[in-house]
Amino acid sequence: MEYIDRKKKLGEVVSIMMDYVENKKTHQTEKTMTVPTRSYTDPAQFEAEMERIFTKVPLMLAFTAELPNNGDYKAMEAVGMPILINRDKKGQVRAFLNVCSHRGAPVAEEGHGNCPVFVCKYHAWSFGQDGRLMGVAEQSTFGKVDKAERGLKQLPCEERGGMIFVCLDPEGAIDLDEYFQGYLGDFEDLDFADWHYVGSRTIHGANWKIAFDGYLEGYHFSSLHPETIHPRTPSNCMHYEGFGPSMRIGFPQHEIKNLLKDVPKEEWGTRENYGYDFVRILFPNVSIFVAPEITQVAQLFPGPTPDKNRTVLNYLRRDPPRDEEDAQALEQFCDFFRNVTYEEDYVIGMEIQKGLESGAHEALIFGKNERGNQYFHEWLNWYVAGDDTAPKPEM
């Protein structure tokens, strides 16, 4: 029933987007919104975002497809913190700080692997898949150690819809149903957990919000992407839906009417990529574009200073490569998407960073047609304010 209801809802959105294209309209809100320039440059603002958002909310840090087998692990850095995610011998996923309890060295090298035990390369202390301290090298000379008190520091973690979410606060908690308001059903419908992980590319850019703002609107397609995106997708033609602080952005294609003219209206919601596309935004830092050839999932990690971000572009596909030729084609798709994202979006983002730091203007302005940007900044401001009684913004 939930699947049918979601597809019906998507079909209603498709009908709205078709009207947008036919009548040259877009989703609009009631007024414009200004954001202080210092929001992108101020160290105090940056620290507040790290403390009140990135260490508190569920962050999508890995995919089920990255850890398909028992014993698989992924070691990574997220906003300056060393993270270890693993799947134990019973298939359960856990997350830890990748920090040995002896002298603080990592217990796993950054990247992917498979092992039954994590061994610190510094002094060879060993830890189980559940984070328990299993062995102290040459303990007879080291002295007494309470192994129960010296395990890896565990982080709240949950696997849903083919994605693995982690809270970077060891004392925090995760409630994905409350946080995503049913949005993860999209990924369950896509059978995202069964997809193939192709690989990733890393790019660097300006303040994380400058970069993220670019994922939230298509107002710039004709001017910034005249040869890559605009031939498929009209500029300034978007539809927004909110799910808690996250959102789904609909982008109709120029040919939406022709591509769907022979498709029964009740099936429009099943035709993603054929007449329309969606960009799925997971607050605070993930953008997902599902395409027929390959899917790009951008994870934006702020820092290490306010003027910089590190973006990991992950690539997945429904099926694994059929042969070597297909595998090479997938790698070429990864490079193409990476190049477009960096050369057409991130380069101008770094120019914007310089412009904001110049002090030319005290505030930026988001138009009535840029509702996604407004929605994102409303939620961000709500979290940073830390006021539990503040009204949560609606779409």
Side-chain angles (χ1 to χ4, degrees):
M1 179 60 71
E2 289 183 359
Y3 172 82
I4 295 173
D5 289 344
R6 278 193 292 269
K7 292 306 176 185
K8 180 181 178 182
K9 174 64 175 176
L10 289 182
E12 294 170 355
V13 170
V14 174
S15 182
I16 294 171
M17 291 193 291
M18 188 177 292
D19 176 63
Y20 285 170
V21 173
E22 287 185 300
N23 295 292
K24 300 186 185 308
K25 297 191 300 184
T26 189
H27 186 128
Q28 289 192 285
T29 189
E30 296 180 353
K31 58 185 178 180
T32 61
M33 174 187 182
T34 58
V35 173
T37 300
R38 59 177 171 76
S39 176
Y40 301 87
T41 61
D42 181 26
Q45 170 79 19
F46 180 80
E47 291 302 321
E49 292 164 357
M50 298 306 100
E51 177 184 345
R52 298 175 185 175
I53 298 177
F54 278 88
T55 61
K56 300 301 181 184
V57 306
L59 299 180
M60 197 287 289
L61 295 187
F63 304 93
T64 297
E66 288 183 274
L67 289 78
N69 304 308
N70 295 351
D72 285 348
Y73 70 85
K74 176 184 182 180
M76 62 180 295
E77 180 183 310
V79 291
M81 298 181 69
I83 308 298
L84 174 62
I85 303 169
N86 81 303
R87 189 180 302 280
D88 69 18
K89 61 183 179 181
K90 294 184 178 180
Q92 180 180 345
V93 169
R94 292 185 174 86
F96 307 93
L97 291 175
N98 186 15
V99 181
C100 180
S101 58
H102 171 215
R103 298 269 290 278
V107 301
E109 294 293 331
E110 188 166 314
H112 299 82
N114 183 289
C115 69
V117 178
F118 297 103
V119 180
C120 175
K121 65 180 180 182
Y122 197 8
H123 295 93
W125 282 31
S126 58
F127 300 84
Q129 294 174 337
D130 59 0
R132 290 184 303 111
L133 174 59
M134 297 180 62
V136 175
E138 302 183 51
Q139 187 168 357
S140 62
T141 61
F142 186 88
K144 186 177 180 180
V145 175
D146 186 345
K147 292 182 180 179
E149 296 295 323
R150 285 282 169 179
L152 298 177
K153 179 67 71 173
Q154 190 160 348
L155 300 171
C157 174
E158 188 172 341
E159 182 176 24
R160 289 276 291 278
M163 297 172 288
I164 298 168
F165 297 88
V166 178
C167 176
L168 299 185
D169 179 2
E171 305 303 319
I174 287 180
D175 185 342
L176 296 183
D177 291 321
E178 171 66 22
Y179 189 70
F180 285 111
Q181 299 291 304
Y183 194 17
L184 296 182
D186 264 26
F187 300 92
E188 293 164 358
D189 292 346
L190 292 168
D191 297 321
F192 206 47
D194 297 324
W195 287 29
H196 172 74
Y197 183 74
V198 178
S200 68
R201 305 288 189 271
T202 300
I203 58 178
H204 296 85
N207 177 274
W208 72 279
K209 289 174 296 182
I210 290 177
F212 207 51
D213 278 335
Y215 291 94
L216 305 180
E217 46 88 4
Y219 183 34
H220 65 281
F221 285 175
S222 63
S223 53
L224 195 63
H225 306 296
E227 297 179 1
T228 50
I229 298 177
H230 189 246
R232 172 188 178 97
T233 308
S235 201
N236 197 28
C237 193
M238 305 85 70
H239 185 269
Y240 295 101
E241 302 165 88
F243 301 86
S246 299
M247 68 184 99
R248 182 169 59 211
I249 310 174
F251 293 98
Q253 297 168 17
H254 291 288
E255 297 299 317
I256 183 171
K257 187 174 183 179
N258 290 335
L259 290 170
L260 294 178
K261 66 181 181 181
D262 296 325
V263 179
K265 192 170 183 177
E266 59 270 20
E267 296 180 15
W268 283 3
T270 67
R271 303 290 289 181
E272 184 171 353
N273 299 134
Y274 299 95
Y276 62 91
D277 303 292
F278 287 114
V279 169
R280 293 172 171 87
I281 300 297
L282 305 183
F283 186 89
N285 68 326
V286 172
S287 171
I288 302 171
F289 174 51
V290 177
E293 305 87 357
I294 200 167
T295 287
Q296 175 174 285
V297 182
Q299 297 168 296
L300 284 78
F301 295 107
T305 53
D307 60 330
K308 293 180 172 61
N309 88 82
R310 175 177 62 92
T311 297
V312 180
L313 301 173
N314 301 275
Y315 297 98
L316 300 94
R317 194 176 72 167
R318 292 180 183 274
D319 305 307
R322 295 180 293 272
D323 49 37
E324 184 60 32
E325 182 179 356
D326 189 31
Q328 291 179 1
L330 284 177
E331 292 297 321
Q332 291 173 356
F333 272 121
C334 294
D335 290 339
F336 172 76
F337 275 95
R338 184 269 316 275
N339 292 343
V340 169
T341 303
Y342 180 76
E343 295 170 7
E344 298 187 7
D345 288 289
Y346 277 51
V347 168
I348 196 170
M350 289 184 281
E351 294 172 346
I352 291 170
Q353 184 76 48
K354 291 180 181 179
L356 300 185
E357 291 175 352
S358 74
H361 305 288
E362 292 185 357
L364 303 183
I365 184 169
F366 292 106
K368 295 191 296 181
N369 59 330
E370 298 178 295
R371 181 55 182 143
N373 302 82
Q374 293 190 19
Y375 193 74
F376 166 69
H377 284 275
E378 286 167 359
W379 272 100
L380 184 138
N381 293 341
W382 184 80
Y383 274 105
V384 169
D387 182 1
D388 291 338
T389 63
K392 296 183 181 181
E394 302 295 336
M395 184 60 73

